Amino acid sequence: NAGVTQTPKFRVLKTGQSMTLLCAQDMNHEYMYWYRQDPGMGLRLIHYSVGEGTTAKGEVPDGYNVSRLKKQNFLLGLESAAPSQTSVYFCASSRDTDTQYFGPGTRLTVL
Amino acid sequence: AQSVSQHNHHVILSEAASLELGCNYSYGGTVNLFWYVQYPGQHLQLLLKYFSGDPLVKGIKGFEAEFIKSKFSFNLRKPSVQWSDTAEYFCAVKEGANNLFFGTGTRLTVIP
C-alpha cells in the first residue's frame, strides 16, 4: 500500500513551457486535491475532485488545469509556466470529507 | 473565506521543555480542525483532529490540542518535547465539505 505518490519529485521548467504533474493513490479514495506550498503562506488549494470525472476550483486555480479520468489518478497541468508558479506542489486524497492524506510533494522551479 | 492564524513562526526549545503552539481561525460556524506535521524532507502527516465531542483531543507522539470555541482557537501542546519533534507544524480548518484552509505554519527547532 503506497498511499499517495507523486511524479516527478523535482522539475525545472523555462517560462512558457508546459508540464503535467501526476498524483496517484491506491486507497480507493473518492476525493483528491492539489495544493501549492510557498514560504510564509502555508498550503493553498488549487483544484480538487470529489470523484472520477469531476473537478472543481480551489483558492488559487489560475494558470492550472486538472483532470480526473481515473479514480486513482489526479493530474495537474501547467499550460504555460510562469516564475510565480515556482513552488512545492502537494497532492492529497481522502475517503470522504474526513482526513486528507498527503503525497511527498513535487518541487517545481520555473526559470 | 476562512482565515487561519499561527502567530508563532519559529519556536526554539530545549529538550524536555513544554510546547504550546497557537492556532486561531476566523469562521464562527461548524468547523473541523486539524494539526499536521511536516518533518524535514517529508510530506505532511496528520497529528490529530477534532470533529466533535471532547474538546481535548489526543494525537500521536504525545501531542494534544484543545478546542476552545469561544476563542476560535485550537492550540497544540506537548508536555515534554524531544529532538525528533523538530519539524514544521500546520494548523488547518475545514469549512464545509471540501475546503481545507491551512495556517502559515510554525517551525519548531528542538535543541538537544
Side-chain angles (χ1 to χ4, degrees):
Chain A
N1 191 337
V4 181
T5 58
Q6 292 182 231
T7 309
K9 289 185 170 52
F10 303 93
R11 186 72 187 267
V12 178
L13 290 179
K14 293 181 180 178
T15 297
Q17 287 185 318
S18 63
M19 78 162 293
T20 301
L21 307 184
L22 170 64
C23 175
Q25 52 94 4
D26 61 2
M27 296 176 282
N28 201 34
H29 285 170
E30 288 294 333
Y31 295 72
M32 296 187 75
Y33 312 82
W34 275 108
Y35 293 88
R36 58 178 289 172
Q37 183 184 27
D38 300 297
M41 300 197 69
L43 278 78
R44 292 179 292 167
L45 182 65
I46 304 171
H47 286 280
Y48 64 96
S49 168
V50 301
E52 182 179 322
T54 75
T55 63
K57 294 180 179 180
E59 187 183 352
V60 288
D62 294 341
Y64 305 95
N65 57 76
V66 288
S67 63
R68 184 102 181 265
L69 299 179
K70 293 183 179 181
K71 184 177 183 179
Q72 63 267 34
N73 295 337
F74 194 31
L75 304 177
L76 177 72
L78 286 72
E79 292 181 344
S80 179
S84 60
Q85 294 177 305
T86 294
S87 188
V88 181
Y89 292 86
F90 286 98
C91 177
S93 72
S94 63
R95 181 171 53 86
D96 45 32
T97 57
D98 203 313
T99 306
Q100 295 183 20
Y101 296 88
F102 286 81
T106 295
R107 186 173 295 276
L108 174 66
T109 302
V110 182
L111 302 175
Chain B
Q2 181 66 251
S3 172
V4 182
S5 299
Q6 292 183 244
H7 305 294
N8 310 106
H9 297 294
H10 189 191
V11 173
I12 302 172
L13 294 173
S14 298
E15 274 193 318
S18 64
L19 170 71
E20 181 160 2
L21 301 182
C23 173
N24 289 90
Y25 61 95
S26 60
Y27 181 61
T30 301
V31 293
N32 300 137
L33 302 162
F34 304 81
W35 275 98
Y36 282 88
V37 61
Q38 186 176 26
Y39 297 104
Q42 297 188 26
H43 58 282
L44 277 80
Q45 302 171 41
L46 181 69
L47 266 182
L48 48 80
K49 61 184 178 182
Y50 172 80
F51 279 27
S52 63
D54 189 343
L56 184 61
V57 179
K58 294 195 182 301
I60 62 171
K61 304 185 180 185
F63 286 90
E64 65 179 30
E66 185 175 14
F67 170 52
I68 303 179
K69 189 174 182 179
S70 61
K71 294 185 178 180
F72 299 98
S73 72
F74 190 54
N75 292 352
L76 181 71
R77 300 195 292 247
K78 186 171 184 179
S80 176
V81 295
Q82 301 172 318
W83 176 78
S84 58
D85 293 324
T86 294
E88 190 147 16
Y89 293 81
F90 292 92
C91 178
V93 177
K94 188 154 70 70
E95 174 190 312
N98 298 300
N99 292 328
L100 188 62
F101 295 90
F102 283 83
T104 53
T106 296
R107 186 153 61 99
L108 172 66
T109 301
V110 180
I111 301 170

